[in-house]
Amino acid sequence: MTSLHEPPLFAALKDAGRILVAGAGGGFDVYAGLPLAFALTGLGKSVHLANLSFSALDLIDADAWYEPNLAAITPATRGHDGYFPERTLARWLAAQSMDATVYAFPRTGVRPLRDAYRNLVRRLGIDAIVLVDGGTDILMRGDEAGVGTPEEDMTSLAAVAGVDVPVRLVACVGFGVDAYHGVCHAHVLENLAALDRDGAYLGALTIPSASREALLYVDAVAHAQRHTPMRPSIVNGQIAAAVRGEFGDVRFTDRTRGSELFVNPLMAMYFTVDLAGLARRLLYLDRLADTDTQYEVRAVIEWFRRGVRRRERRSIPH
């Protein structure tokens, strides 16, 4: 039985001792999990960070690889100097005297990623996984008017759906940022309502702007922007601005030139669901299970989208 005084997200993780917070969609998604990771660490949990990586992992040291699809990135790991979110985060963590290892998964299909997760779970003794999406397109089931950029998110979702740990959750933060990629946010809310009817929606909670978790997160994002000036995270830049209480067309990088942002308090909220419940609603989940490459994942999604009757786009009427 859940209660208003204890967020279901933290109730679900109460008995977990070793938690993996993992970026589902690549890039800087692992940063979107930092406030949650800091809060869990503050509760005495052992928290580890991982990310589906867009980095040039073929350039890293051979001894960083635990296996072909799992690498441990530290502040000293060699790699591309212009874009390496996992190492940038590791260096920021080291400066805060925190555990400075960030695990990285290369972009593959579901089968090798599932195996890499299973091996990391065994290696670290993980008893809970929280997949984090910067944005909300991981909540798309496939028949929406627009599904954003689903390849990496759905690869991660399908992979972890096949990993046996006691608790598996998905947390999304940055409501609204996927509008740029065609997501209809009325469909996001419709999907959350359906998950609630299934008993799989764990509710929403705001990152308080004056909290230690928020201050550390904002600092980490600012550090990443300074050290990745050519490709700073647009998603985390907007989330951090929302956490600071900013509103509207907030500018923090030339990458958003020509588009109008709508930073608002909803972007600073985690929407959390049970991972198995979300995976069951993914209409093409069974077709993803045996994919080996991102090309195969992309082909599955494109094939499914060509044949499905899509829900009509609608506006939120407020």
Side-chain angles (χ1 to χ4, degrees):
M1 177 70 70
T2 59
S3 173
L4 183 62
H5 74 266
E6 183 179 33
L9 166 61
F10 287 96
L13 295 169
K14 180 181 292 185
D15 295 330
R18 301 180 68 82
I19 302 169
L20 181 65
V21 176
F28 286 91
D29 258 14
V30 64
Y31 278 77
L34 291 179
L36 178 58
F38 299 146
L40 291 168
T41 301
L43 293 174
K45 311 290 187 182
S46 175
V47 180
H48 301 271
L49 298 171
N51 199 41
L52 186 66
S53 181
F54 288 175
S55 305
L57 295 181
D58 55 323
L59 300 179
I60 69 174
D61 310 299
D63 60 4
W65 291 98
Y66 286 164
E67 59 176 271
N69 294 303
L70 174 62
I73 309 302
T74 71
T77 302
R78 289 184 295 179
H80 195 287
D81 289 333
Y83 182 85
F84 200 167
E86 295 81 16
R87 186 182 63 190
T88 301
L89 177 55
R91 290 176 174 176
W92 181 86
L93 291 167
Q96 315 305 313
S97 299
M98 298 179 183
D99 180 4
T101 299
V102 181
Y103 297 94
F105 306 111
R107 280 187 284 183
T108 65
V110 170
R111 182 158 37 195
L113 182 60
R114 182 173 59 232
D115 289 343
Y117 264 104
R118 286 172 175 168
N119 288 332
L120 186 58
V121 164
R122 285 194 293 268
R123 181 179 290 270
L124 299 178
I126 296 296
D127 53 11
I129 298 174
V130 183
L131 275 185
V132 180
D133 182 24
T136 54
D137 52 359
I138 197 172
L139 300 176
M140 302 293 96
R141 70 178 202 168
D143 64 346
E144 295 82 6
V147 292
T149 55
E151 289 89 356
E152 291 82 15
D153 287 321
M154 299 314 173
T155 301
S156 295
L157 176 63
V160 178
V163 178
D164 184 18
V165 294
V167 181
R168 295 168 299 171
L169 306 176
V170 171
C172 304
V173 62
F175 182 91
V177 301
D178 296 313
Y180 179 80
H181 290 118
V183 169
C184 169
H185 284 81
H187 289 161
V188 173
L189 297 176
E190 183 179 9
N191 290 357
L192 286 171
L195 287 161
D196 198 10
R197 292 193 299 273
D198 291 347
Y201 179 45
L202 279 69
L205 68 160
T206 295
I207 304 167
S209 60
S211 65
R212 174 179 177 272
E213 294 86 355
L215 297 175
L216 287 170
Y217 168 69
V218 168
D219 188 68
V221 171
H223 173 270
Q225 289 174 337
R226 290 193 302 271
H227 289 84
T228 318
M230 300 304 294
R231 292 179 63 188
S233 173
I234 295 173
V235 170
N236 282 283
Q238 291 181 79
I239 297 169
V243 168
R244 294 192 301 267
E246 299 190 49
F247 183 83
D249 192 15
V250 179
R251 294 288 148 182
F252 52 86
T253 174
D254 288 342
R255 292 185 68 200
T256 60
R257 187 190 304 113
S259 60
E260 183 177 356
L261 305 183
F262 184 55
V263 172
N264 66 86
L266 291 176
M267 288 184 175
M269 298 177 67
Y270 280 114
F271 293 84
T272 312
V273 301
D274 173 72
L275 187 144
L278 179 62
R280 283 193 296 270
R281 293 190 62 82
L282 181 59
L283 296 175
Y284 50 87
L285 177 68
D286 58 333
R287 299 176 176 91
L288 291 176
D290 294 326
T291 56
D292 289 313
T293 68
Q294 275 289 289
Y295 174 81
E296 292 173 319
V297 171
R298 189 176 305 112
V300 165
I301 297 172
E302 291 176 354
W303 176 84
F304 176 83
R305 294 277 290 165
R306 281 198 298 268
V308 73
R309 181 177 180 179
R310 303 181 190 184
R311 284 183 265 169
E312 293 185 8
R313 184 175 295 276
R314 59 182 298 189
S315 299
I316 299 174
H318 297 286

